[in-house]
Amino acid sequence: MKRPKDLYIFVLLICLNIGGIKGQVTFFDHKGEYQYFPILKSDSIINEPFYFQLNNPKNPSHKQNISTSFLKSFFKDSLSKHNWNLLVNTASTTQFLKEFCPVEGQLTTIKNGLIQLTASSQEVMQLLVLDSWEYISQENLNVREEAKVKDLDLGFSNIEKLLAENPYLNGEGMAVSIKETSMDTLDVDLVKRSRWGINADELSLDHATQMGTIIAGAGNSSLKGLGVAPQATLYSSSFTPPIPDADSVYRLQRTWIQNHSYGTGIESFYGLLASSFDESAYKQAQLLHILSAGNRGIENDSLGPYTGIPTYSNLTGNFKLAKNVLCVGAIDTTGKPSLFSS
């Protein structure tokens, strides 16, 4: 007998207990047929994994994973009317788009295989029974610059002394990409060496110019404007969405260092964004991503095993947990970690 579609969520809520035990999820597909997915889960709350693995009995070799945070939120609020903002990783974007097209929400391809999706609870249920996805996650994509640098004075960093003792360490022949809004290409300390890159943002703000000055300021304005590599060339690249550029962009611009001085929200898990940075580093062995740790050091995470522990687990974005990047915090003029630094 055919089952109506409105039984999707009802049956799911009855069959699954997410309180720290192993369980089984029962779905109905669009034909009203049963789909059973045993969930593999740790019995320990402390050692709770960041994702659940679903084993599809119709296709046992195809492993599909769902982030723990999203799954818990979904089963708590799946009867609500709001839409869900998700990141979906697929083996084939083309195949996925053939099988799934949200009516109430929207879908955007971020890059090949990675899709940003807004969908209703009903559409999420339809998504879960498909074979064309590999990972579903709920991640913060609301990117913003880290706090503006106040009274920028690079003299404290002894850059002038460094360059005097090592004049060859001036950045000559190097190209650095700054991923956020665009720099002021007419700034006196960056003029003729700062350019709009292939993926440059149309918006130009002071923060990007300050980052460019720290990296490659010529010191024309004053000693405060002398950067670490004053002869390097700079390229702007948009940070929307917060993932690395395509491999071809780095090759064409020969930008093998990319700076990321921005964040989203406190996230203490390895997500699809983090994976995209590791994938970028793996494919381009000479490429180094440098990420700011964040400016929320006095805050703490509200999810996961470090919940409520002050000054720990407060990196601003899961992509900063990537394994093949350089994540940098701040220190004060005495060399001690700054309290505000994540």
Side-chain angles (χ1 to χ4, degrees), residues 77-314:
D77 300 320
S78 58
L79 293 178
S80 64
K81 299 295 184 181
H82 71 79
N83 286 338
W84 298 89
N85 297 314
L86 305 174
L87 275 183
V88 181
N89 191 57
T90 68
S92 169
T93 301
T94 302
Q95 182 61 31
F96 180 82
L97 295 179
K98 288 180 179 178
E99 297 181 358
F100 184 78
C101 182
V103 176
E104 301 177 47
Q106 59 184 9
L107 185 151
T108 303
T109 301
I110 296 179
K111 68 172 187 176
N112 186 34
L114 189 60
I115 292 173
Q116 182 180 353
L117 173 67
T118 302
S120 66
S121 293
Q122 180 71 22
E123 289 171 334
V124 171
M125 294 302 303
Q126 296 168 2
L127 169 65
L128 292 179
V129 298
L130 300 179
D131 289 335
S132 54
W133 60 269
E134 295 182 339
Y135 194 95
I136 298 176
S137 182
Q138 197 170 27
E139 303 179 20
N140 193 338
L141 296 177
N142 297 320
V143 64
R144 61 181 180 181
E145 302 155 331
E146 305 288 11
K148 180 180 288 188
V149 179
K150 297 180 180 180
D151 301 321
L152 177 63
D153 185 353
L154 300 180
F156 283 111
S157 300
N158 291 322
I159 294 175
E160 187 178 33
K161 181 175 184 294
L162 171 68
L163 293 175
E165 295 177 352
N166 304 277
Y168 56 90
L169 295 177
N170 57 17
E172 183 178 5
M174 295 183 62
V176 180
S177 174
I178 298 181
K179 197 166 182 65
E180 51 178 280
T181 57
S182 294
M183 297 168 284
D184 179 3
T185 57
L186 299 179
D187 182 87
V188 66
D189 289 316
L190 304 178
V191 68
K192 294 184 178 181
R193 292 182 299 107
S194 57
R195 305 171 183 174
W196 282 38
I198 296 173
N199 292 333
D201 197 307
E202 294 182 1
L203 183 64
S204 178
L205 295 176
D206 289 343
H207 187 271
T209 303
Q210 289 178 336
M211 294 303 102
T213 303
I214 292 173
I215 295 170
N220 295 326
S221 59
S222 69
L223 178 61
K224 294 181 179 181
L226 181 63
V228 178
Q231 293 189 31
T233 301
L234 302 174
Y235 287 86
S236 293
S237 181
S238 175
F239 58 3
T240 306
I243 61 171
D245 293 318
D247 299 336
S248 59
V249 173
Y250 299 112
R251 292 195 296 268
L252 289 172
Q253 295 178 166
R254 300 189 66 79
T255 46
W256 302 121
I257 299 176
Q258 187 166 58
N259 185 74
H260 306 259
S261 293
Y262 57 85
T264 52
I266 294 178
E267 293 180 324
S268 301
F269 62 89
Y270 185 94
L272 289 174
L273 296 181
S275 177
S276 69
F277 275 84
D278 280 333
E279 180 183 9
S280 174
Y282 176 79
K283 290 182 176 180
Q284 304 288 333
Q286 66 272 54
L287 174 62
L288 175 63
H289 292 288
I290 302 177
L291 286 67
S292 62
N295 295 330
R296 299 175 69 174
I298 62 175
E299 301 180 40
N300 52 70
D301 196 4
S302 59
L303 298 171
Y306 298 99
T307 300
I309 301 178
T311 73
Y312 284 91
S313 192
N314 48 32

